[in-house]
Amino acid sequence: MPSLRERMAENGFESNDDYEFQLRCLLESPTTGIRTLNIEGEGERRKTAFANALARSLSFPCVLYHDFTDRHPPPPDVILPPTRDELGREEPPIDPLDQIVSEACAQSEGDPTILILDQIQAADFRDHIRIHRLVANGYWDVRDGRYFANPNRLLLFLISEEPLYHSLRKESFRVWINRHSERQLVYHPTPFGLGPEAQPLFDALAGLFRALGAAPTPSEFTRILSDLRLHARTTEQLRLSLYGRSEGIDRERLADPSHEELLRRVVEASQALAVIEHIELSGDQRPGGRSEASD
């Protein structure tokens, strides 16, 4: 079965960092309220990508999303007609937050449901208090109605660019999302269809990434490797490839002249590998199936 990191990559969030432990803490620890994940970090909308990828990776049949900065949210699936009170006065339409939370509560009665509330720093503080009441007590009030959530089937993801309301923060499990991956993966030639002759190139790349403080993800590394073998012939071209392919590489750091020697080693190792591959290919194609090594 694919790991959580692999499933999240398939759903649009690729990272070398592993969130299996945090997920177990969220899902398997005892609680009396709604399980709530407080997603913090410096990643800006990367936190939104994390939340959506995690929700899809958990295969919950119902995933609902609300952004407090969206002034024109999409219309709900069911549009209720205007209502009037006992005096014949028309009541205002239901607020988008009330609409999405009440729907999440109703859905959780039958299906596992995830509700993502994004950009909470833009919400009215009274809504912070109402969200805390939902997490702690499991219900949401809308006008004269009360909607109850099933705590065994509802997960709440909260995303904010500022610290959450204190009481709400205490009820949540926090996870930090970096702007880019911090965990360095050690890549070897074999998974990329290469032999031991490619190891000098992989070693040169590893040294360069350490100096740059970069940790390319598997797909980023694959594309960088492809550029080296097909296009990059100079250190400047390698710089362009690295910046273009890896989200976590800083442009100013990459341009620092002190990294020129490391860049040159990568280019030379790539060219040496190309020569070896050319010799092997030429040897395999000689008449009679004899290679140059057998002469």
Side-chain angles (χ1 to χ4, degrees), residues 75-293:
D77 294 335
V78 178
I79 301 178
L80 301 177
T83 59
R84 297 180 183 274
D85 63 15
E86 64 277 6
L87 298 178
R89 295 171 298 192
E90 186 172 302
E91 295 187 1
I94 296 178
D95 182 81
L97 176 63
D98 288 332
Q99 182 81 38
I100 200 77
V101 177
S102 59
E103 182 181 352
C105 292
Q107 291 283 358
S108 73
E109 290 298 328
D111 295 312
T113 301
I114 292 178
L115 173 60
I116 304 172
L117 298 180
D118 200 350
Q119 303 299 302
I120 290 183
Q121 78 280 352
D124 189 290
F125 185 70
R126 288 169 292 187
D127 287 331
H128 289 235
I129 298 175
R130 297 176 71 204
I131 295 169
H132 172 258
R133 187 182 302 125
L134 168 68
V135 173
N137 301 320
Y139 66 81
W140 186 261
D141 289 330
V142 182
R143 296 178 183 167
D144 296 328
R146 175 166 289 184
Y147 294 83
F148 289 90
N150 185 334
N152 296 318
R153 291 198 179 118
L154 180 62
L155 276 180
L156 185 60
F157 293 173
L158 306 179
I159 306 172
S160 179
E161 301 302 326
E162 299 173 2
L164 290 180
Y165 167 52
H166 172 71
S167 299
L168 184 56
R169 191 174 182 180
K170 288 190 66 175
E171 296 286 348
S172 309
F173 184 89
R174 287 192 297 166
V175 61
W176 182 270
I177 306 302
N178 292 301
R179 194 180 302 276
H180 50 78
S181 297
E182 286 193 341
R183 180 187 176 199
Q184 289 272 358
L185 296 182
V186 179
Y187 295 109
H188 301 284
T190 302
F192 296 88
L194 298 171
E197 67 278 359
Q199 191 61 51
L201 173 58
F202 280 65
D203 292 341
L205 282 167
L208 176 60
F209 293 146
R210 284 194 298 271
L212 293 173
T217 62
S219 70
E220 291 173 342
F221 186 88
T222 300
R223 296 184 182 111
I224 292 169
L225 194 61
S226 176
D227 285 346
L228 273 167
R229 301 183 72 193
L230 297 175
H231 308 296
R233 300 291 181 265
T234 66
T235 57
E236 181 56 32
Q237 290 174 344
L238 177 55
R239 279 192 177 93
L240 296 173
S241 171
L242 291 169
Y243 183 75
R245 297 298 190 186
S246 183
E247 184 179 19
I249 289 184
D250 181 77
R251 184 173 178 271
E252 292 185 3
R253 198 166 185 177
L254 184 61
D256 189 330
S258 65
H259 296 132
E260 184 68 24
E261 175 61 21
L262 293 172
L263 289 161
R264 185 183 61 78
R265 291 178 190 174
V266 171
V267 171
E268 289 179 352
S270 176
Q271 292 173 344
L273 176 61
V275 171
I276 293 173
E277 291 178 329
H278 176 73
I279 292 174
E280 291 179 348
L281 181 61
S282 299
D284 290 341
Q285 293 177 342
R286 292 189 63 185
R290 299 173 61 218
S291 68
E292 293 182 2

Side-chain angles (χ1 to χ4, degrees), residues 3-19:
S3 66
L4 175 64
R5 188 169 67 236
E6 291 169 336
R7 298 198 305 274
M8 291 185 67
E10 292 172 358
N11 285 287
F13 182 87
E14 187 181 32
S15 174
N16 295 346
D17 304 319
D18 192 350
Y19 299 95

